[in-house]
Amino acid sequence: MSPNHTTEQPHVPFALPDVGEDEAEAAAHAVRSGWVTSGPIMKEFEREFAEFLGGGVETVAVNSATAGLHLALEALGVGPGDEVIVPDWTFTATAEVVRYLDATPVIVDVDQTSLNINTESVAEAVTDNTKAIIPVHFAGLPVDLKALRASLGGRNVAIVEDAAHALPAVGSTGLVGNSRASDATVFSFYATKTITTGEGGMMSTDRADIAERARVMRLHGINRDAFDRYTSKKPSWAYDVVAPGFKYNLGDIAAAIGRVQLARACEMQVRRQSIAEYYLSELGDLPLQLPVQAGEGELHAWHLFVVRLPVGQQIRRKAFISKMAELGVSCSVHFIPLHCHTYWKQFVPDAAQRLPVSAAESERALSLPVFSKMTDSQVTQVVEAVRKVAEELV
Ligand SMILES: *Cc1c(COP(=O)(O)O)cnc(C)c1O
């Protein structure tokens, strides 16, 4: 029995990876090559990714964005006693990497309109112990890095961009991932993200020290270059361990899929943008708050399309999502903010005072399906369902 057996409507899933024969062919080719772990294809993927971003950045392929964020903070020397500022409105991965290093996450509020990190809250939260900040380009809407830097008041705070939603996106400082305004940027290739390798991620940075440390730490802390310094002729079995590293490398099968996906990244963004623009034009008259578009000359990756129920109607979110499901459309919620989770509560006991925007806005937010594989009829079905449910409930 199909999950939507009660309706004759076809089902619109919340998200589907946009992978097909080309990705399958590339993966099969990698398998047939006989080299299935990190090797020449991973190197080629890194090279193409760096070329895609431009600006002379270095890239480090990893097996998840979570791994990439962890490596970036580790390379920056984040440790016990350090504070790292993160937005409340994000996935737990953004903050958990701070705890991996025994540092303290300082959870701050988001902006009412963009839902990105609030620069005034950042200015209030920054202290002498602030070592880094992790802005999230939420939904694919680029964070204004110039404004963010200004909010740090001239302090020496590293910026690590969580760009899990932002490939490709263009903000006030250019293409996300090649900005001189940050220290490192991390993308996700998780199944539902804008490009996928099944599981995977990529760090980009213009800081050679960060790239070098991340490359060593993504593979057990093994440093072959260090060994080279002491030997004129390195035997193939030789290696030196310089730190207790991690197992975060991306294999060639995943990288092969990634190369095909990267070549299609812009065309897939165009499709998502046209879906988002259609939603904006067809839902504009409803009493729902629709997401903002990117600024002039900027680009929104449109990984998510988040609508907000009218203030006072947040109690209807559950009903709204169930009614959409009855009409064959799967919606979701991004995110249940950090302060609502059992573990993160201890870091913001005063959430109501410190995070008023995130606390209020997150309860009335829900995400509509937007993925490049959506057909026109699926897009129309979403619009019709939203109109019907909004008429009934809102
Ligand atoms: C998906 C996601 C991550 C983690 O990505 P993985 O590749 O699954 O580790 C991090 N931050 C945000 C905002 C995400 O949505």
Side-chain angles (χ1 to χ4, degrees):
M1 209 183 283
S2 76
N4 56 323
H5 62 277
T6 50
T7 155
E8 68 283 13
Q9 290 266 32
H11 177 64
V12 183
F14 177 69
L16 274 185
D18 191 349
V19 288
E21 281 312 307
D22 289 350
E23 285 82 357
E25 188 61 42
H29 191 263
V31 171
R32 289 190 195 107
S33 79
W35 189 279
V36 291
T37 183
S38 305
I41 305 178
M42 184 274 282
K43 283 274 159 222
E44 192 55 17
F45 183 37
E46 285 183 335
R47 196 192 58 75
E48 288 170 352
F49 209 96
E51 201 175 276
F52 176 89
L53 295 176
V57 291
E58 292 193 55
T59 45
V60 181
V62 283
N63 58 11
S64 73
T66 308
L69 290 167
H70 184 194
L71 290 178
L73 294 187
E74 199 278 338
L76 286 163
V78 170
D82 291 332
E83 292 170 0
V84 179
I85 299 175
V86 298
D88 184 45
W89 193 299
T90 188
F91 184 55
T92 191
T94 315
E96 79 190 44
V97 294
V98 177
R99 296 297 302 133
Y100 289 1
L101 295 158
D102 269 325
T104 308
V106 175
I107 300 171
V108 302
D109 210 353
V110 294
D111 175 75
Q112 218 279 342
T113 308
S114 68
L115 300 179
N116 277 334
I117 198 163
N118 183 306
T119 48
E120 283 161 34
S121 311
V122 170
E124 284 166 23
V126 72
T127 73
D128 288 343
N129 296 324
T130 310
K131 185 94 174 183
I133 180 166
I134 312 179
V136 178
H137 303 286
F138 176 68
L141 179 72
V143 168
D144 183 347
L145 293 180
K146 278 186 196 154
L148 186 69
R149 178 58 74 192
S151 73
L152 297 170
R155 284 175 210 253
N156 184 23
V157 175
I159 299 179
V160 175
E161 299 170 65
D162 181 337
H165 302 178
L167 185 76
V170 177
S172 61
T173 52
L175 187 62
V176 171
N178 80 2
S179 174
R180 296 278 179 274
S182 82
D183 295 84
T185 303
V186 180
F187 298 95
S188 172
F189 310 142
Y190 177 66
T192 59
K193 298 287 158 69
T194 61
I195 79 166
T196 185
T197 59
E199 300 282 355
M202 187 75 75
M203 178 209 290
S204 68
T205 177
D206 65 346
R207 282 183 54 176
D209 59 329
I210 292 180
E212 190 185 335
R213 176 71 179 178
R215 280 197 191 103
V216 166
M217 294 306 280
R218 81 173 156 185
L219 198 65
H220 305 297
I222 290 171
N223 190 346
R224 288 176 196 277
D225 300 337
F227 194 92
D228 281 343
R229 274 183 229 134
Y230 305 105
T231 54
S232 50
K233 242 177 103 197
K234 183 182 73 167
S236 63
W237 46 263
Y239 65 93
D240 184 30
V241 173
V242 297
F246 309 103
K247 185 65 168 76
Y248 283 167
N249 57 304
L250 185 75
D252 269 16
I253 301 174
I257 296 171
R259 289 184 62 203
V260 179
Q261 288 271 289
L262 180 65
R264 299 179 50 223
C266 291
E267 133 208 341
M268 293 192 286
Q269 187 280 337
V270 167
R271 175 62 184 157
R272 289 191 306 276
Q273 176 149 329
S274 80
I275 295 166
E277 282 170 0
Y278 187 74
Y279 287 165
L280 290 171
S281 76
E282 297 300 305
L283 303 174
D285 60 321
L286 296 175
L288 297 174
Q289 186 174 340
L290 301 180
V292 288
Q293 292 180 269
E296 192 67 33
E298 301 186 353
L299 189 76
H300 195 315
W302 291 112
H303 166 55
L304 298 172
F305 192 94
V306 174
V307 303
R308 282 178 262 177
L309 296 173
V311 175
Q313 304 267 315
Q314 63 269 28
I315 41 157
R316 297 182 198 247
R317 178 168 70 172
K318 222 169 115 189
F320 196 103
I321 294 173
S322 328
K323 293 228 178 254
M324 288 293 289
E326 282 168 26
L327 295 172
V329 177
S330 292
C331 294
S332 193
V333 168
H334 297 88
F335 293 96
I336 297 166
L338 295 178
H339 79 267
C340 293
H341 295 283
T342 304
Y343 178 73
W344 296 117
K345 273 184 183 151
Q346 62 187 300
F347 297 96
V348 260
D350 50 348
Q353 290 84 55
R354 265 177 55 190
L355 310 165
V357 177
S358 184
E361 298 305 301
S362 61
E363 291 185 354
R364 59 189 193 100
L366 62 107
S367 312
L368 302 181
V370 54
F371 53 96
S372 50
K373 237 187 156 173
M374 270 180 105
T375 62
D376 287 349
S377 71
Q378 286 180 318
V379 177
T380 319
Q381 187 180 335
V382 172
V383 165
E384 281 166 8
V386 171
R387 298 198 65 88
K388 192 153 179 239
V389 175
E391 223 161 80
E392 255 178 67
L393 277 184
V394 179

